[in-house]
Amino acid sequence: MRSMIQIISLGLLISPVACTHKVNIVSPEGNHKRITHEARSKKVMVASQGGGTTRAALSVLENGGNIIDAFVAASFAISVERPHSTGIGGGGFLLYFSQKENKVYAFDFREVAPLMATKTMFLTKSGAPQPLLSQEGGLAVATPGLVRGLFEIHQRFGKLPWKETLGPAIKLAREGFPLYPELHEALEDRKNLLLLDEEAKKTFYTPAGEAPYLGTMIYQENLAKTLEVIAQEGADGFYEGKIARSVVETVRKKNGLLSLKDLKTYKMVERTPVEGSYKGLKIFSMPPPSSGGIHVIQILKMLSPYELKKWGPQTTQSVHLTANAMQRAFLDRALYLGDPDFHPVPQKELLSETYLSKLSKAINHPKALGALDVKAEELPYESSDTTHFTIADEEGNLVSSTQTINGWFGSGVIAQGTGVILNNEMDDFAQKKGAQNLFGAVGGEHNLVYPRKRPLSSMSPTIMTKEGEPFMALGSPSGTRIISCVAQTILNTVEFEMPLYEAVAATRIHHQWRPDVLKIESPYLSPEVEKELKEKGHNISHEQLGCSIQAIKKVKGHWHGVSDPRGEGLSLGEL
Ligand code: GLY
């Protein structure tokens, strides 16, 4: 069957796209979204969740900067523009493909547990978990890694002077940007917590304590001043001196454990990316302490022997098998994943051809298996926030970076006088082995709290190459769902040969073994397909997954950039 489908972008119909199968895709909506979701360029391309961020990266490239300067500029700008989901009080990962060296680098600037953290810090005397303690207030705060990471990566690969890369972010913080729907929603959601903090109240709410109207300008003068110090003094301007003292004093006042020593001794780690081959392509993604890379590759490899293309996307057979593959990958996640500096992760075994071929056969069961039928232990939970951006340049280099402060507005703790919103990444640890959290997931042993340990992540910045040339780079926010969203976008592009916009916009599913639910987002699959999936035993739940893929692909000598139409985003290039 060959059919034509219409795709909506910027609220306008653009040309119909030829597609082998008709698929459901989401449409962007909302008056205040800056929605340029798709762009083509021969030279450079930036896809990010913020207009100011995409323009910041482009301006640095236009001023003679290289892709790493653009990465640093985008990181600082997105910290300003998405203060609810990322920032200099958080951390992240970078995957960087250097075309000249034909090499992919992986950098880990994730937060680490404070030196005074203990395995029982979130438990009552009788050993009961206390989920709120790792989500709000001082104890939730892990040592931020973002600024140290950006500084060291820039020292090694950057071209422009460090301080020039912070220019656009300082301007954005000082001159402001209009309030957009997702930030508004986050302000409503975290109102009770943020209104307890004078600085947060003054920066983000009206004097009456309300979230402002959409379109109201948001100014962050204290953050602008902090960024100026970092521009002048480098990473030490954040990890030592006045800003560090404010971070520590504020966290301590809110019963946290962070110390000046935590900040001063924070270290970024260079890691070896996980690598897999898939349909003639090489996939590189983030290794532990992220679970993302391993499981994206596992899902794709489990599915690769099957005739998904013949069945078509969004058909019962394809969705059933994809859900089974996700379920199986998430079981491994619960069993084996954690910070590799504390527990060995059997990465080679998890990605070995022999093992994956066994899993591939095992997922081909006609009926859905319940979580208990898939032999299992426990599964850690991560929240749904975070951000991702992707950059490509004229030389064929690629950057794919996912960054986070974890939950919306992190811990809700703002280092007084600095505008720095501190993460609640401690919530990505398991409070206790086998303990259920607010979301019904249970925690794994490899992911228990330990001083200096990194909490398990799902962030999956991914880069794909074909015969040494760049093919595609992508990533997304949204906790455990990142893995499913990235894997499906690759599947849509490579297996189903969808154009990039459609591959990103197509309805997604998510299965994470526990809870034992197949989540399907809107627009849902066809009623017939959902009926057949139920008959196969899937527990279907209709819910939004929160992913926002930012992808760039090389198409006939052009960069094609797509920002997920599910939210804010701007893909823009230079012609
Ligand atoms: N905090 C989200 C993640 O690291 O996966």
Side-chain angles (χ1 to χ4, degrees):
M1 175 183 68
R2 174 165 281 270
S3 60
M4 305 291 274
I5 60 164
Q6 303 275 37
I7 297 174
I8 294 172
S9 177
L10 281 166
L12 301 168
L13 282 178
I14 61 167
S15 42
V17 174
C19 173
T20 320
H21 293 268
K22 189 179 184 318
V23 295
N24 284 341
I25 60 168
V26 301
S27 311
E29 54 194 32
N31 295 334
H32 293 272
K33 281 180 182 168
R34 281 154 293 160
I35 46 171
T36 305
H37 287 298
E38 193 178 20
R40 284 185 176 79
S41 157
K42 274 193 180 156
K43 294 186 177 167
V44 300
M45 178 62 64
V46 185
S48 89
Q49 284 188 278
T53 301
T54 294
R55 290 184 206 287
L58 282 178
S59 74
V60 161
L61 289 167
E62 276 160 19
N63 290 338
N66 66 16
I67 196 162
I68 292 298
D69 298 317
F71 153 72
V72 176
S75 302
F76 281 115
I78 201 81
S79 294
V80 174
E81 201 171 16
R82 289 184 63 83
H84 56 303
S85 67
T86 189
I88 61 176
F93 300 131
L94 165 70
L95 238 72
Y96 162 43
F97 171 65
S98 158
Q99 168 77 88
K100 197 170 62 195
E101 298 166 89
N102 190 14
K103 175 176 169 149
V104 178
Y105 293 89
F107 294 102
D108 165 358
F109 38 95
R110 184 147 174 87
E111 302 91 324
V112 300
L115 286 160
M116 279 186 279
T118 64
K119 221 165 154 174
T120 53
M121 65 187 278
F122 296 117
L123 304 179
T124 61
K125 282 205 178 93
S126 60
Q130 304 179 88
L132 258 193
L133 282 187
S134 60
Q135 288 165 12
E136 297 180 0
L139 274 186
V141 181
T143 316
L146 190 86
V147 178
R148 178 65 66 201
L150 300 185
F151 188 71
E152 287 185 9
I153 294 165
H154 183 266
Q155 293 270 92
R156 190 157 152 200
F157 299 105
K159 184 171 155 206
L160 291 182
W162 165 252
K163 73 173 186 219
E164 277 185 40
T165 62
L166 280 100
I170 295 169
K171 194 163 182 277
L172 197 59
R174 183 157 287 139
E175 295 179 9
F177 58 86
L179 180 60
Y180 51 89
E182 191 188 302
L183 179 51
H184 186 269
E185 199 188 330
L187 287 171
E188 288 290 354
D189 189 73
R190 299 291 265 174
K191 194 157 148 181
N192 291 344
L193 179 67
L194 292 175
L195 286 180
L196 299 175
D197 186 289
E198 267 314 303
E199 186 161 338
K201 185 174 169 195
K202 212 169 130 211
T203 311
F204 296 113
Y205 293 89
T206 65
E210 298 298 333
Y213 292 121
L214 288 176
T216 304
M217 293 301 282
I218 300 293
Y219 303 102
Q220 298 171 82
E221 178 57 28
N222 283 352
L223 184 58
K225 288 192 182 123
T226 295
L227 292 171
E228 279 171 342
V229 174
I230 298 170
Q232 287 301 326
E233 299 176 17
D236 290 348
F238 181 85
Y239 289 93
E240 294 177 50
K242 215 170 77 190
I243 296 167
R245 281 197 298 279
S246 166
V247 168
V248 170
E249 275 161 26
T250 313
V251 170
R252 287 299 183 90
K253 261 192 218 151
K254 309 231 173 181
N255 304 318
L257 303 174
L258 210 62
S259 65
L260 286 172
K261 188 167 175 198
D262 279 311
L263 291 174
K264 195 166 173 188
T265 55
Y266 176 85
K267 284 197 170 39
M268 180 187 78
V269 183
E270 181 174 355
R271 303 199 183 268
T272 308
V274 289
E275 194 181 326
S277 55
Y278 172 68
K279 310 235 161 183
L281 300 162
K282 272 196 172 167
I283 303 183
F284 300 90
S285 195
M286 199 63 208
S290 183
S291 58
I294 289 180
H295 301 310
V296 165
I297 294 174
Q298 279 192 323
I299 292 168
L300 293 169
K301 297 281 271 191
M302 277 187 248
L303 293 173
S304 63
Y306 294 98
E307 295 186 300
L308 264 66
K309 191 172 171 194
K310 199 173 113 198
W311 299 332
Q314 300 183 359
T315 56
T316 305
Q317 297 99 308
S318 294
V319 174
H320 172 65
L321 214 61
T322 306
N324 294 349
M326 288 173 179
Q327 184 187 42
R328 193 58 196 74
F330 273 92
L331 171 62
D332 277 355
R333 184 180 188 279
L335 292 174
Y336 303 114
L337 271 286
D339 183 343
D341 300 338
F342 287 75
H343 305 275
V345 176
Q347 193 172 307
K348 226 172 104 206
E349 291 80 356
L350 288 169
L351 292 175
S352 83
E353 296 289 342
T354 327
Y355 180 66
L356 288 172
S357 129
K358 261 194 219 158
L359 292 195
S360 184
K361 289 191 185 98
I363 59 167
N364 192 13
H365 36 84
K367 291 273 183 190
L369 294 184
L372 289 177
D373 300 325
V374 190
K375 202 176 159 309
E377 284 181 23
E378 56 283 308
L379 177 69
Y381 159 81
E382 290 93 39
S383 93
S384 62
D385 303 307
T386 304
T387 194
H388 182 88
F389 62 84
T390 307
I391 308 176
D393 75 6
E394 234 175 321
E395 280 95 57
N397 303 309
L398 294 168
V399 147
S400 183
S401 182
T402 314
Q403 305 177 3
T404 189
I405 51 171
N406 200 22
W408 269 347
F409 287 101
S411 59
V413 176
I414 302 198
Q416 290 310 290
T418 68
V420 178
I421 300 165
L422 293 159
N423 68 82
N424 61 350
E425 217 66 57
M426 292 300 282
D427 196 54
D428 273 353
F429 283 114
Q431 290 201 351
K432 183 183 179 181
K433 186 184 171 199
Q436 280 206 314
N437 68 12
L438 283 175
F439 300 84
V442 279
E445 179 156 23
H446 293 327
N447 194 30
L448 293 174
V449 180
Y450 199 82
R452 276 287 151 83
K453 189 171 169 180
R454 284 158 152 85
L456 183 59
S457 172
S458 293
M459 297 191 288
S460 318
T462 299
I463 285 178
M464 296 159 73
T465 60
K466 191 173 183 176
E467 290 153 12
E469 295 292 317
F471 177 79
M472 183 164 154
L474 74 164
S476 172
S478 205
T480 49
R481 287 151 290 195
I482 295 173
I483 295 170
S484 315
C485 295
V486 168
Q488 280 167 98
T489 309
I490 297 174
L491 208 58
N492 288 345
T493 309
V494 180
E495 176 72 23
F496 297 122
E497 295 176 14
M498 292 183 196
L500 190 61
Y501 183 84
E502 198 179 353
V504 170
T507 295
R508 298 184 188 122
I509 61 156
H510 174 67
H511 199 314
Q512 61 173 47
W513 172 60
R514 274 188 182 173
D516 185 8
V517 171
L518 172 58
K519 294 182 181 175
I520 300 175
E521 67 169 3
S522 147
Y524 311 128
L525 303 177
S526 76
E528 303 79 59
V529 168
E530 294 203 1
K531 186 169 158 276
E532 284 167 10
L533 287 167
K534 278 185 194 151
E535 283 163 8
K536 282 186 172 294
H538 289 284
N539 300 315
I540 290 181
S541 153
H542 285 156
E543 49 190 283
Q544 293 315 98
L545 300 179
C547 289
S548 180
I549 292 276
Q550 307 297 316
I552 297 178
K553 184 173 181 266
K554 192 100 196 206
V555 185
K556 294 184 189 147
H558 283 70
W559 293 119
H560 187 178
V562 171
S563 292
D564 204 315
R566 289 160 181 82
E568 280 277 315
L570 179 65
S571 281
L572 210 59
E574 195 196 332
L575 290 171

